[in-house]
Amino acid sequence: MDRKLYISTGTLVGRDNGYDYRGALGEIRSLCDGGYADGLELMMLRFYYDKTDAVVDAVRNCGVVPATIHCEKDVGTFISDAAVLDLDGKHDEAEKMYLDAKKLFEINCDVAEKLGIERMVLHLWGGYSSDKNIGYNIEKYSELSELAEKKGVRILVENIPSNLMDPLTNWRTLLPHLKNGGLVFDTRFGKLHEQTEDIFSDKEITDKIEHIHISDFGGEFREFSALRPILHPGEGKIDFFHVAALLEGIGYKGSITLESPVMVGAEWNIPKLKDTLSFIRDNF
């Protein structure tokens, strides 16, 4: 099946190389021209908030289609922190924290609108507070999805790590409120919670999965400390041949993004990136 394969800018942009997004976009252009990928997923970073116009111009002019945007992760963390404040009866503090999250979310939506990106990956919960008061997060999702829709953007909620419950339970709780949104399955987080089989056995869930994030995981069940470094397929414990078979089993027709970084200090290991992209092309 000819699924679209994207490269996350997060594979090439980070603190060690001074967040060199311009250089990264040039490398992604070369990889796409060489047939290794079909486009990019823009990973929004805190570093971008005071230079969004420059980032938008760089992406717009790089010659690669920005197919998906990954909302900056502090948004989900702030919402979860607000949820815990609300649970503790600190409603004014919770509202202020949520408004901070919403402001950041709107900036992410503005970037997506300017680039014509119609799908946004969202970490709906996150940080230490995680899913402690998941009902609050889901309540706020409804407002966020309406804000995104006004910008022509649909939200895709990812199965990120959960402290209280687990990603699949949270997804199931979210489903009645999902509206026009979708779901993103991340292989690393699926393995962390040992939920890959359960997720792909749940048709109500798989019908909503329209995007896949690929990276490997080398830890044990709920070993959160093993989430980093982010590994490439073959470096950890995930059976990617089995994952590919599960996708075939549900007739998956969506897209895939590689998220495993190739930064070695300030340099990039482009041969490794090519090998991983080729592996995904050949097996997914």
Side-chain angles (χ1 to χ4, degrees):
M1 184 179 296
D2 185 22
R3 302 184 180 111
K4 295 296 183 183
L5 173 58
Y6 306 130
I7 306 171
S8 171
T9 56
T11 64
L12 294 162
V13 181
R15 184 182 296 107
D16 287 347
N17 61 14
Y19 301 102
D20 182 11
Y21 62 90
R22 296 183 188 277
L25 290 169
E27 292 292 345
I28 291 173
R29 168 67 184 270
S30 295
L31 289 163
C32 289
D33 287 348
Y36 289 95
D38 303 301
L40 66 85
E41 178 171 314
L42 176 61
M43 171 70 77
M44 284 291 290
L45 304 171
R46 271 181 278 177
F47 177 76
Y48 295 155
Y49 280 134
D50 64 350
K51 53 183 67 65
T52 55
D53 287 344
V55 172
V56 166
D57 286 343
V59 174
R60 185 181 286 143
N61 296 322
C62 76
V64 179
V65 176
T68 313
I69 186 169
H70 193 307
C71 187
E72 196 267 310
K73 296 173 185 178
D74 277 348
V75 172
T77 299
F78 288 174
I79 292 171
S80 289
D81 289 347
V84 170
L85 288 170
D86 192 71
L87 188 66
D88 291 342
K90 300 174 181 177
H91 305 302
D92 290 342
E93 293 178 51
E95 183 63 15
K96 182 181 183 303
M97 180 69 72
Y98 171 65
L99 290 176
D100 289 341
K102 189 166 75 168
K103 287 176 184 176
L104 295 182
F105 180 77
E106 289 175 327
I107 294 172
N108 284 258
C109 287
D110 286 343
V111 170
E113 182 184 34
K114 289 174 181 176
L115 290 170
I117 300 174
E118 298 178 353
R119 300 191 304 172
M120 175 184 288
V121 177
L122 176 66
H123 287 190
L124 184 56
W125 55 93
Y128 292 109
S129 300
S130 187
D131 59 335
K132 187 175 180 181
N133 186 13
I134 193 64
Y136 180 98
N137 301 57
I138 290 173
E139 175 190 334
K140 298 307 181 184
Y141 166 85
S142 296
E143 181 177 2
L144 297 181
S145 64
E146 290 177 6
L147 289 172
E149 190 172 359
K150 291 175 182 177
K151 300 288 186 177
V153 179
R154 294 174 51 247
I155 296 177
L156 310 182
V157 178
E158 191 169 14
N159 61 315
I160 68 165
S162 306
N163 290 338
L164 181 66
M165 301 297 292
D166 58 81
L168 180 54
T169 297
N170 291 339
W171 267 356
R172 286 172 173 158
T173 305
L174 172 66
L175 275 182
H177 311 273
L178 196 58
K179 300 181 181 179
N180 71 336
L183 303 176
V184 180
F185 174 74
D186 186 295
T187 57
R188 183 166 53 120
F189 302 146
K191 184 64 175 173
L192 169 71
H193 285 280
E194 293 292 358
Q195 286 196 316
T196 301
E197 291 284 351
D198 289 341
I199 284 171
F200 285 103
S201 298
D202 189 328
K203 189 175 187 305
E204 193 174 14
I205 291 294
T206 58
D207 282 349
K208 296 294 185 180
I209 295 175
E210 57 183 83
H211 194 49
I212 305 292
H213 279 166
I214 286 187
S215 61
D216 211 338
F217 180 69
E220 303 298 329
F221 173 64
R222 293 179 75 90
E223 187 181 349
F224 295 98
S225 62
L227 284 170
R228 293 183 181 277
I230 301 172
L231 306 177
H232 280 247
E235 295 180 339
K237 297 183 177 181
I238 297 175
D239 182 346
F240 282 95
F241 300 107
H242 183 53
V243 174
L246 290 172
L247 291 176
E248 287 297 320
I250 65 168
Y252 181 69
K253 295 180 173 63
S255 50
I256 296 171
T257 290
L258 172 65
E259 289 198 312
S260 306
V262 291
M263 287 170 282
V264 184
E267 304 297 321
W268 295 307
N269 189 341
I270 299 302
K272 182 175 184 176
L273 184 52
K274 288 180 177 179
D275 286 346
T276 301
L277 291 167
S278 295
F279 171 80
I280 298 170
R281 280 279 202 221
D282 291 344
N283 293 284
F284 285 82

